[in-house]
Amino acid sequence: MEVSQVFHMNGGNGDNSYATNSVYQKLGITKAKPVIIGSISDLYTTNPPRCLRVADLGCSSGPNTLLVITEIIEAIDKICRHLNHNTPEFQVFLNDLPSNDFNTIFKNLPAFHEQLRKEKGEKFGPCSIVGIPGSFYERLFPSTSIDFFHSSFGLHWLSQVPPMDEINKCNIYLSRTSPLSVVQAYMEQFQKDFSLFLSLRSKEITPKGRMVLTILGRRSENPYKECQYWELLSKSLNDLVSEGLIEETKVDSFNLPFYAPSYKEVEATICGEGSFYLDQLEIFDINWDESDDDDNREFTFDKFISGQKMAKAIRAVVEPLIACHFGDAVIDVLFNRYIEYVGNHLSMEEGKFVSFVISLRGK
């Protein structure tokens, strides 16, 4: 499976689309907002550029795509009003793999620009937004051309499924039954990919430029911990094997191009690669049932509803990978089974996505 050719979030605006089922990612952006705003504000006040060039890597499609850009524009506009400065021009690059639903993004841009003019006035900007299809594990921009890089929930996805000497039997990710060689292969692939990503961006970022990354991870040093959402999906697939809907060898030959690193692994890779100063590395959690993250309303648990929300969110992200390997016919059955497993899990214990927000400064 060539990840860069197959992998993308579900496009469009339908019931199973990423646009409709990306509330977790929105919560992550909200929790990371103070770090994003602090980093872009420090960049601008230290050395104000006439044209601020921002790249969002792994932008996907849907309501979150322009959310960070809007927050950056608001922060810079506030600073300029306080200092009685004219706002800079903005040049925004939205990057994702070529199979991403860029068409939906482009259709939303006229309304975005109209809202900017309405709120900021005709003299604001201008703000130019373009799409940059390609893998962020390759060079994307000319040397020293980007002032601020942002990536949200992209870098836990690897450039490829790690090469493995042993079969990760009955698993699609790391579990207690995974061979140690499989665990080691995943760890090495993440270190290789993350180091490459940092090295590439160090060539593209302007002197003293900034970068903020949000990535799924784990608090524990145990690689089997805190990723039960993939174990439950493995169980769902194995149920389909037992029912004769898919072949066991199909499950044994499918592994996710994903790795949730620990705090120490992230820190060690950044320091070992050496291209950036590490300004901040913070941890936050997002509940599997995103309704429980809303402090402004009373939360009432419903096993089916909670399981369904989680299943739709996971489906919106991995359906293209699963359908490519197992076929479209099993998708509905698989995720109906996944709803049951997630609901049962949440009725017994909490489920949380562990995330890191990382603020980096170019050397």
Side-chain angles (χ1 to χ4, degrees), residues 276-291:
F276 291 88
Y277 296 109
L278 176 58
D279 286 338
Q280 285 178 271
L281 177 50
E282 299 181 2
I283 305 178
F284 63 85
D285 295 333
I286 299 174
N287 293 329
W288 284 11
D289 190 321
E290 42 80 21
S291 299

Side-chain angles (χ1 to χ4, degrees), residues 149-162:
F149 280 108
H150 172 264
S151 182
S152 185
F153 297 112
L155 281 160
H156 41 254
W157 294 107
L158 304 173
S159 66
Q160 63 177 26
V161 175

Side-chain angles (χ1 to χ4, degrees), residues 231-301:
E231 288 189 35
L232 298 179
L233 192 57
S234 293
K235 285 184 178 181
S236 303
L237 281 165
N238 287 314
D239 280 356
L240 270 56
V241 171
S242 300
E243 295 166 16
L245 297 177
I246 56 177
E247 298 177 1
E248 184 176 347
T249 54
K250 277 285 190 180
V251 177
D252 292 343
S253 61
F254 180 78
N255 291 281
L256 289 169
F258 173 96
Y259 185 70
S262 69
Y263 185 103
K264 287 183 179 179
E265 288 170 343
V266 171
E267 186 177 46
T269 304
I270 293 169
C271 295
E273 194 280 327
S275 295
F276 291 88
Y277 296 109
L278 176 58
D279 286 338
Q280 285 178 271
L281 177 50
E282 299 181 2
I283 305 178
F284 63 85
D285 295 333
I286 299 174
N287 293 329
W288 284 11
D289 190 321
E290 42 80 21
S291 299
D292 201 14
D293 269 296
D294 190 343
D295 297 329
N296 297 317
R297 62 180 175 181
E298 186 176 345
F299 172 68
T300 302
F301 175 73

Side-chain angles (χ1 to χ4, degrees), residues 286-327:
I286 299 174
N287 293 329
W288 284 11
D289 190 321
E290 42 80 21
S291 299
D292 201 14
D293 269 296
D294 190 343
D295 297 329
N296 297 317
R297 62 180 175 181
E298 186 176 345
F299 172 68
T300 302
F301 175 73
D302 182 291
K303 184 168 72 171
F304 176 78
I305 292 175
S306 295
Q308 186 181 53
K309 287 179 181 178
M310 175 70 165
K312 281 181 173 290
I314 295 295
R315 178 173 179 168
V317 172
V318 298
E319 180 174 352
L321 289 175
I322 292 175
C324 178
H325 189 81
F326 296 99

Side-chain angles (χ1 to χ4, degrees), residues 196-210:
L196 175 62
F197 174 88
L198 294 171
S199 175
L200 294 171
R201 303 295 83 78
S202 72
K203 296 176 174 63
E204 298 167 345
I205 202 165
T206 56
K208 310 301 181 182
R210 303 294 197 277

